[in-house]
Amino acid sequence: MEKTTSRNSLINRLPFDIYTLRLFVISFAIFVAFSLLLPDKFLTIRNMQSMMVQFPEYGILAFAIMITMLTGGIDLSIVGAANLSAVVAALVLTRLAGENGAGMSPVLVIPLAMISALIVGSICGLFNGFLVSTVGITPILATLGTGAIYTGLSFVVTGGPAITTTQLAFIGNGYILGLPIPVIVFTVIAVVFSIMLNRTTFGFNVYMLGTNPTAALYSGINSNRVLLRTYWIAGLVASIAGIIFLARTNSAKPDFGASFILLTVLIAILGGVSYTGGFGTVSGLVLAVLSIQFLSTGLNMLMLELFPSSAAIFFRQIAWGGLLLLVMVLTFYVDRRRKRSPGTQT
């Protein structure tokens, strides 16, 4: 009993929770495993730079999913909102500063395009928040419907084909102090989320609402206002992801990133965000993003090495599901063991 009490005391003194520590070990193990298996391909500077450019696209969207899940809800419209924001930004760029545009200076048009994208994302998020908080529609149904609306609007605006522009390529392909700009954007969002969720009254209200809505009500928390702000932030973050989409691919497509919804939900759950709300950390989410990126890249390289076929890349989806199941099983047994421990208070 003394050993168990001592171990629990040691765990409680850690600056992070045991789930984050376990996820860090898993991420590190995946990285080391592929580095040993593919030293000439995986563990190279070129591959590190390639991975740093890839993961911010869905990593930023994962923050939008996370904050809505913390309230006990979810936002399935983030990809639709991101693409609609990218389409509007591309339209502004091509109509005002493109070869056949109005001839305005890119110095003026580029900030205008970004602001337009952020406004579109904000409107999408506020509309979701209104449906969930005021109308009272279940989040999964409300955002499933609005996601279809946002995607449909993108198709109506573009007529189907992608809108191409290279005026934001300096963001998608640019570097500052040796780091890709998308990674810097991802890092800034992670820091802002960490401060917002851990150091502000709004962050406390988000966790409180997700943990116990009834207690939050009797504590004087305005649930409708918290939900409205939560979904607005999700829409705003989705629009930032849309700008990254446009900057990375030099085009805005209505159906870009169709698989990102499932991927971001997977990242959130893998990162320890409770689907019932009330628990989840930014550090856990970041580690989950890195785990998924290491696994995807390493598995693609390994499968193409063993089975030189384009179908090999689809093994990564099997790996995503397997990793999620592994973490959930580990969490279940570790939690059950901790609850049975005599020194643990439940």
Side-chain angles (χ1 to χ4, degrees), residues 231-314:
Y231 283 88
W232 166 65
I233 291 171
L236 189 64
V237 171
S239 67
I240 296 173
I243 294 172
I244 298 296
F245 291 173
L246 179 58
R248 277 261 300 128
T249 63
N250 294 326
S251 65
K253 292 176 62 180
D255 57 350
F256 181 80
S259 64
F260 283 175
I261 283 289
L262 287 177
L263 181 57
T264 50
V265 173
L266 166 65
I267 288 171
I269 294 176
L270 184 63
V273 180
S274 172
Y275 61 87
T276 58
F279 182 80
T281 62
V282 172
S283 57
L285 191 82
V286 172
L287 286 172
V289 171
L290 295 178
S291 299
I292 290 292
Q293 185 60 55
F294 294 155
L295 189 67
S296 300
T297 302
L299 203 60
N300 279 349
M301 290 179 171
L302 187 63
M303 288 298 106
L304 288 173
E305 184 87 8
L306 299 175
F307 311 102
S309 164
S310 58
I313 63 174
F314 297 107

Side-chain angles (χ1 to χ4, degrees), residues 13 18 37 39 41 140 153 200 205 213 220 241 256 270 293 332-333:
R13 290 178 186 175
I18 190 66
L37 288 170
K41 292 184 177 180
I140 191 171
L153 282 174
T200 68
N205 291 343
F256 181 80
L270 184 63
Q293 185 60 55
F332 172 77
Y333 281 106

Side-chain angles (χ1 to χ4, degrees), residues 12 74 92 193 198 261 271 288 335:
N12 292 333
I74 196 168
V92 172
F193 261 68
N198 298 308
I261 283 289
D335 287 346

Side-chain angles (χ1 to χ4, degrees), residues 169-249:
F170 71 96
I171 296 176
N173 303 318
Y175 287 77
I176 296 177
L177 299 176
L179 291 174
I181 293 178
V183 171
I184 296 174
V185 175
F186 174 82
T187 305
V188 169
I189 292 175
V191 171
V192 170
F193 261 68
S194 181
I195 295 172
M196 178 177 66
L197 292 174
N198 298 308
R199 303 291 181 184
T200 68
T201 304
F202 171 71
F204 173 81
N205 291 343
V206 167
Y207 281 109
M208 188 71 182
L209 185 61
T211 303
N212 191 330
T214 304
L217 178 65
Y218 284 107
S219 299
I221 295 174
N222 188 328
S223 301
N224 287 351
R225 184 178 299 175
V226 173
L227 285 174
L228 193 64
R229 290 180 64 183
T230 298
Y231 283 88
W232 166 65
I233 291 171
L236 189 64
V237 171
S239 67
I240 296 173
I243 294 172
I244 298 296
F245 291 173
L246 179 58
R248 277 261 300 128
T249 63

Side-chain angles (χ1 to χ4, degrees), residues 16 23 26 54 57 63 153 155 164 179 251 292 315 325:
F16 36 77
L23 197 54
I26 291 173
Q54 292 173 32
E57 287 184 356
F63 285 104
L153 282 174
F155 275 110
T164 58
L179 291 174
S251 65
I292 290 292
F315 279 100
L325 288 175

